[in-house]
Amino acid sequence: SAVISQKPSRDICQRGTSLTIQCQVDSQVTMMFWYRQQPGQSLTLIATANQGSEATYESGFVIDKFPISRPNLTFSTLTVSNMSPEDSSIYLCSVEDSGVSYNEQFFGPGTRLTVL
Amino acid sequence: GNSVTQMEGPVTLSEEAFLTINCTYTATGYPSLFWYVQYPGEGLQLLLKATKADDKGSNKGFEATYRKETTSFHLEKGSVQVSDSAVYFCALISSASKIIFGSGTRLSIRP
């Protein structure tokens, strides 16, 4: 199984600023995903990030607000831009284990973001 | 479209009680089904999985059986412990590698 780390683990930010979250995987993976978990809620997929192509965003999420980079097969970043208190959430990255037939996903520990 | 519906929480039980958390799904085709667990302050961990009808996933004393006829994947444990206190998410993957999560069920176990 893939081991995933995220930085920072938590942060408190001011309204109007931006934060970049890093996701590092211990093996090369094709597909990486970014999720948002708002307080007390389930996980919502923000976008899918494949190396060498533009990220694919889900309905309700746009590149200007959540730009994503995927420079290689082990690393990705998600930026939360022009933050507002409504962006306070846990942000998680996940990777797909393409070595199994049912495409199991493994999750990072998450980044807990509080926007004041 | 695909969806997952799970039992609303919070669920509070005494230690050694029997646990059931209900989960039903709607999906086209033959999805794979999962239970994920999120312990306080931590990320998501895969608890167990089942990839086809009648498969039983099990881990740490938890079990769930993929029931195609009732489109269900209920989570059970015979004797819960305080350390099982967490939020449990039922989920499915169909095509396109997109996980659909249920709303989560918060479980609290009293000593």
Side-chain angles (χ1 to χ4, degrees):
Chain A
S1 64
V3 177
I4 305 166
S5 59
Q6 286 185 231
K7 290 181 182 179
S9 59
R10 58 177 64 227
D11 207 342
I12 301 173
C13 300
Q14 296 297 319
R15 180 195 298 262
T17 62
S18 298
L19 176 73
T20 295
I21 302 168
Q22 299 178 7
C23 179
Q24 179 75 52
V25 190
D26 69 342
S27 58
Q28 294 185 338
V29 294
T30 302
M31 300 184 75
M32 296 181 76
F33 307 87
W34 286 98
Y35 289 83
R36 181 176 73 181
Q37 186 180 20
Q38 293 177 299
Q41 304 295 312
S42 187
L43 283 78
T44 302
L45 180 64
I46 297 171
T48 302
N50 292 337
Q51 194 267 340
S53 62
E54 293 275 336
T56 303
Y57 289 82
E58 297 299 303
S59 175
F61 297 96
V62 295
I63 188 171
D64 289 347
K65 175 67 176 177
F66 297 101
I68 288 171
S69 78
R70 182 77 202 275
N72 57 53
L73 291 174
T74 64
F75 187 78
S76 178
T77 66
L78 170 77
T79 298
V80 186
S81 303
N82 188 24
M83 288 183 284
S84 67
E86 292 70 34
D87 294 319
S88 297
S89 297
I90 299 173
Y91 292 85
L92 300 100
C93 69
S94 77
V95 303
E96 181 180 80
D97 183 349
S98 57
V100 295
S101 61
Y102 47 82
N103 297 331
E104 179 176 338
Q105 289 190 19
F106 298 93
F107 286 80
T111 296
R112 186 178 296 270
L113 171 62
T114 302
V115 184
L116 303 177
Chain B
N2 297 338
S3 66
V4 175
T5 302
Q6 66 180 98
M7 181 173 168
E8 283 196 24
V11 174
T12 303
L13 296 173
S14 297
E15 205 165 21
E16 299 183 0
F18 184 87
L19 168 71
T20 300
I21 300 178
N22 290 337
C23 172
T24 58
Y25 67 90
T26 301
T28 55
Y30 302 95
S32 296
L33 302 175
F34 304 86
W35 278 99
Y36 282 86
V37 58
Q38 187 174 36
Y39 296 102
E42 299 185 15
L44 234 58
Q45 301 176 27
L46 179 65
L47 179 61
L48 53 83
K49 57 186 181 286
T51 60
K52 60 183 187 296
D54 299 324
D55 267 2
K56 176 186 284 189
S58 61
N59 186 26
K60 299 182 181 181
F62 290 90
E63 294 183 341
T65 301
Y66 190 146
R67 301 285 188 200
K68 193 171 187 304
E69 63 275 14
T70 54
T71 62
S72 65
F73 193 54
H74 305 321
L75 183 68
E76 297 182 336
K77 185 173 185 180
S79 176
V80 293
Q81 306 300 313
V82 172
S83 57
D84 294 326
S85 298
V87 181
Y88 293 82
F89 293 93
C90 186
L92 67 83
I93 290 182
S94 57
S95 59
S97 302
K98 293 185 180 181
I99 297 183
I100 308 296
F101 285 93
S103 56
T105 301
R106 182 175 299 278
L107 173 66
S108 296
I109 307 300
R110 293 188 300 253

